């Protein structure tokens, strides 16, 4: 059974950093592209970042470019999102999601981890 | 950037109704269009990809159509489990629509 489990969320002050992780099981991570999607409280879905199976292609939303870094550790079946210079508007539930390819729909999602940026 | 616009934002319907949600792209997105369903407090679930391909395990009452910049999700006969929020997504650069909440009439 495919499972994605996010961790690392929490309460953080503006300007500080946080690192999210996504542990994958039930499939071999290195065959698939992976993405981060966030959802602010009461709002819609916003794509944050994506990475191809071999890390050869990486993309970021304009809202996080230069502040967030996506990475993956295929040997340990995990995905990461390093978030620096956090802002109040980064407050959201962050989901990791799996895709068959870099330009494909997201067929499995984790349950999400909440990041709250507040002073 | 490609913008995705869904209509309506909210839809009130009864069990058994035929429901249609529209998604418009600001430019042609070929066939890179997916639909997701989200229930409160849960992760989104993929329903349809490549405009009209039904994800495994998704009931056949869900269908997708369209081309270029205009796309449609149709639920042929709304069931109690279908209430929730629906999002379209173009996955050439991964933009989501703003969502359509399907609620009980």
């Amino acid at each position: 059974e495919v499972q994605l489990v996010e961790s690392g969320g929490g309460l953080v002050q503006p300007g500080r950093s946080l690192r999210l992780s996504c542990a994958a099981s039930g499939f071999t991570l290195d065959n698939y592209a992976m993405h981060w999607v966030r959802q602010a409280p009461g709002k819609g879905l916003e794509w944050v970042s994506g990475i191809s199976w071999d890390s050869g292609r990486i993309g970021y939303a304009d809202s996080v470019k230069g502040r967030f870094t996506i990475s993956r550790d295929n040997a340990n079946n995990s995905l990461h999102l390093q978030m620096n210079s956090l802002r109040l508007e980064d407050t959201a539930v962050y989901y990791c999601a799996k895709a068959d390819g870099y330009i494909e729909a997201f067929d499995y999602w984790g349950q999400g981890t909440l990041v709250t940026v507040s002073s | 950037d490609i913008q995705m616009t869904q209509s309506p934002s909210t839809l009130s319907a009864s069990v058994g109704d035929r429901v249609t949600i529209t998604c418009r792209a600001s430019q042609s997105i070929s066939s890179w269009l997916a639909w997701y369903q989200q229930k409160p407090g849960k992760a989104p679930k993929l329903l349809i990809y490549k405009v009209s391909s039904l994800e495994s395990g998704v009931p056949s009452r869900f269908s997708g159509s369209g081309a270029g910049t205009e796309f449609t999700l149709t639920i042929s006969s709304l069931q109690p489990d279908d209430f929730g929020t629906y999002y379209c997504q173009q996955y050439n650069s991964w933009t989501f629509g703003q969502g359509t909440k399907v609620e009980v009439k």
Side-chain angles (χ1 to χ4, degrees):
Chain A
E1 179 193 5
V2 171
Q3 277 201 316
L4 297 168
V5 179
E6 302 91 341
S7 61
L11 175 63
V12 62
Q13 293 179 326
R16 304 298 292 263
S17 299
L18 209 58
R19 187 181 193 232
L20 304 184
S21 295
C22 172
S25 62
F27 68 104
T28 304
L29 190 71
D30 57 8
N31 288 338
Y32 300 97
M34 297 294 294
H35 295 264
W36 289 98
V37 176
R38 69 185 180 184
Q39 186 168 36
K43 303 297 184 182
L45 302 171
E46 180 189 16
W47 175 78
V48 173
S49 182
I51 186 169
S52 61
W53 68 275
D54 61 352
S55 303
R57 286 187 288 179
I58 288 175
Y60 297 98
D62 288 344
S63 58
V64 307
K65 202 171 293 182
R67 301 187 298 122
F68 290 12
T69 303
I70 192 172
S71 62
R72 62 191 298 157
D73 181 351
N74 288 340
N76 289 300
N77 251 28
S78 59
L79 174 74
H80 305 282
L81 185 69
Q82 178 66 42
M83 305 187 295
N84 298 332
S85 303
L86 282 161
R87 304 169 179 169
L88 297 177
E89 57 266 33
D90 295 321
T91 294
V93 173
Y94 285 73
Y95 296 100
C96 66
K98 166 189 168 291
D100 276 353
Y102 195 57
I103 307 295
E104 292 291 353
F106 303 167
D107 56 359
Y108 286 94
W109 298 61
Q111 84 290 348
T113 187
L114 176 62
V115 173
T116 303
V117 183
S118 175
S119 54
Chain B
D1 291 357
I2 300 174
Q3 308 300 318
M4 305 298 289
T5 304
Q6 284 181 237
S7 60
S9 296
T10 305
L11 189 159
S12 298
S14 302
V15 172
D17 284 353
R18 181 181 181 88
V19 167
T20 300
I21 299 169
T22 298
C23 180
R24 289 186 174 86
S26 58
Q27 64 190 71
S28 177
I29 57 170
S30 185
S31 298
W32 308 128
L33 192 283
W35 291 95
Y36 300 86
Q37 177 195 63
Q38 187 179 34
K39 301 285 184 73
K42 300 294 187 182
K45 172 188 173 184
L46 177 64
L47 299 175
I48 287 171
Y49 60 98
K50 281 184 184 168
V51 179
S52 60
S53 296
L54 201 64
E55 176 70 353
S56 176
V58 175
S60 59
R61 62 181 179 273
F62 290 93
S63 64
S65 63
T69 62
E70 187 151 340
F71 304 89
T72 298
L73 172 70
T74 300
I75 309 172
S76 60
S77 177
L78 195 68
Q79 297 303 300
D81 189 47
D82 299 339
F83 293 98
T85 302
Y86 292 81
Y87 294 92
C88 63
Q89 179 204 30
Q90 63 83 10
Y91 49 92
N92 186 44
S93 56
W94 307 288
T95 317
F96 290 92
Q98 81 277 18
T100 295
K101 184 177 181 180
V102 176
E103 60 182 23
V104 178
K105 189 172 185 179

